[in-house]
Amino acid sequence: MSAPAVELRSVSRSRGGRLVLDGVDLAVAAGEFLALLGPSGCGKTTTLRLVAGFDAPDAGAVLIDGRDVRGVPPYRRDVNTVFQDYALFPHLDVFANVAFGLETAAVPRAEIRTRVDEALALVRLEGLERRRPSQLSGGQQQRVAVARALVRRPSVLLLDEPLGALDLQLRRRMQEELRALQRRLGTTFVYVTHDQEEALGMADRVGVMDAGRIVQIGAPRDLYARPVSRFVAEFIGETNLLEGVVRAVDGERVAVDVDGVGAVVAEGAAAAGVRVALAVRPEHVVLADDGLPGVVDDVVWNGAGVRYRVRLAAGAALAVRDARGALGVGAAVHVRLPATDVRVLAG
Amino acid sequence: MTRRAWPLLAPPLVWLGVFAFAPLVFVLLLAFAQRGRPFETEFSAAAWGRLLDPAWLTAFRRSAVLATATTAICLLCGAPLAVFIARRPPRLRRALYLAVVLPLWANSLALTYAWMFVLRPSGFLDQVAQGLGLLAPRDTFALLGTPGAVLVGTVYAYLPFMVYAVYTSAERLDWRLVDAAEDLGATRATALRRVVLPLLRPGLLAGSILVFVPVLGAFVVPDLLGGAKTAYLGNVLRDCFQHEPSDWPLGCVLSVVLLLLVAGALRLLARLGGGIDAIA
């Protein structure tokens, strides 16, 4: 197996007495689209800056294509960055912005011409070569930033909240375009975002970061279905968090006495008598003819379906997603929590 | 322009007309007057003939060299300092900036006298150098009265203007652009040349003008630090009006020529700097 395109080995970095990265281990395979997801201040941008070479780890090692890049300046690394808010050169036009990275590499003038044209065609910006960044829309600036970074044909492209400044509709379209671009070029993407929908929708794998650590990494579906912690469960998608005491253990399943709910069977490992947290997605709560009795006390319709809040007779309130949505406030219902969809969380 | 703006504009227009434009017209008229009788109506172009007087040419050359050298030193010292200050955290930045512009609040004449005490024989500089063993006891650098002393004085007096002008540009500069340049393969030097300097250009130009133009006509610093014998353009000009026998027409001719030269230099700079906007 070939070396990972990017590898971090127990990397730590502190700034101003605060631990920004706390022993991060990460391996990104060549050609992979990896998203780093987390709230602001979790260390995801610092991770990117360490790979780009703008910052150096206090401990641990950063490897690019299998080589330790300690002491290698940014301009010698085979990675390029799409910066947050793009950082386009305001005094240069689109062509010169994209050509910049080729001129520094002393690429012959004729080749620069063709490669810039190719890069601009790639992001569908033909005809705007002579515009200044200030004369472009946000989406166009974003494309210039991508073209400028890709024109050097880096083995790894780092993207720092590249779509953060765009409105929702444009962001959706750019997500699709970037994803298609990545598949076509086969370039390794490391994509930093705080938008879970973006990370889940675009990436092959998502690393969830919190307080300088990668708390869970995996395919989007696995993260969604099997969050390891309360943080991941809450950060990715909507979730019902329940707490209770383990009453019995049976292999991979545990029976839990949940506060305000009653007896619930969940998947996961825990010792009997221990207090645990459980997570169940709103769309996995089943409205049925029997089960736990409750009353609908709120209905929110969002076009694709309905989200009820069901107040259980035992006291707890559950979010329940339902495609049909025929119930009104005050309707008496029964809900069931299928054991395969209820997860025991670590912390 | 709307009709309603006129009442508001009247005071500044009258002010400019009476106190800025009219004196210029007088200067231009007096340039064609006769020596010793500046206010008679008889016109003469005689003063223009005296323009080629070697004394005035020497003074002009001396002033041009001084202004150029002062501007160059202020650029080399002031620009990096301005950038350094602009990149400090806000509180330190304000303190440093204040420290640089503080001399502007003090009386410039007093400050120039202070330099006399520093530079004169057995002055502060000589004593420090003797104390450090760089200079033999009772020896002196004899700096006071030399062009070097004048240069020290003008650099000291005008450096804050350069720092101020460049700081204004540097503070607005998005320094992540340097990261972007390095990310795209530019070394520090290339990033400086291709990104930082072009974006600082308005400040560098404005600072150069703020230093070059006043130094070209300066006479206080040359008077006090340069000694009585070395005449600079400003001294020659002043003497035309103040000293007997006075020569107002020549003074006015020199003023007009100086004005045209500065205007020409600014036009050239504006063209180099990509538009007059860069200077204003």
Side-chain angles (χ1 to χ4, degrees), chain A residues 49 54 74-75 79-81 83-85 87-91 100-101 103-104 148 152, chain B residues 174 176-188 190-191 194-196 198-199:
Chain A
R49 292 180 62 84
F54 301 128
Y75 53 87
V79 300
N80 285 111
T81 307
F83 290 86
Q84 194 171 11
D85 304 323
L88 300 178
F89 303 122
H91 58 301
F100 191 95
E103 285 164 4
T104 57
R148 184 178 71 171
R152 283 170 63 88
Chain B
D174 180 358
R176 290 175 318 152
L177 294 175
V178 176
D179 282 353
E182 286 191 54
D183 187 71
L184 294 166
T187 59
R188 281 282 158 114
T190 309
R194 295 223 31 208
V195 177
V196 177
L199 290 171

Side-chain angles (χ1 to χ4, degrees), chain B residues 29-44 249:
Chain B
L29 286 176
L30 287 176
F32 292 96
Q34 290 182 40
R35 189 172 183 183
R37 284 173 291 164
F39 297 112
E40 287 182 11
T41 49
E42 220 167 304
F43 282 85
S44 151

Side-chain angles (χ1 to χ4, degrees), chain A residues 10-51:
Chain A
S10 29
V11 165
S12 292
R13 176 82 176 109
S14 54
R15 210 178 289 124
R18 203 175 68 89
L19 204 54
V20 185
L21 289 182
D22 183 8
V24 169
D25 283 295
L26 176 67
V28 188
E32 187 181 21
F33 191 138
L34 178 99
L36 290 175
L37 174 67
S40 60
C42 70
K44 56 194 194 298
T45 294
T46 303
T47 306
L48 219 54
R49 292 180 62 84
L50 289 172
V51 178

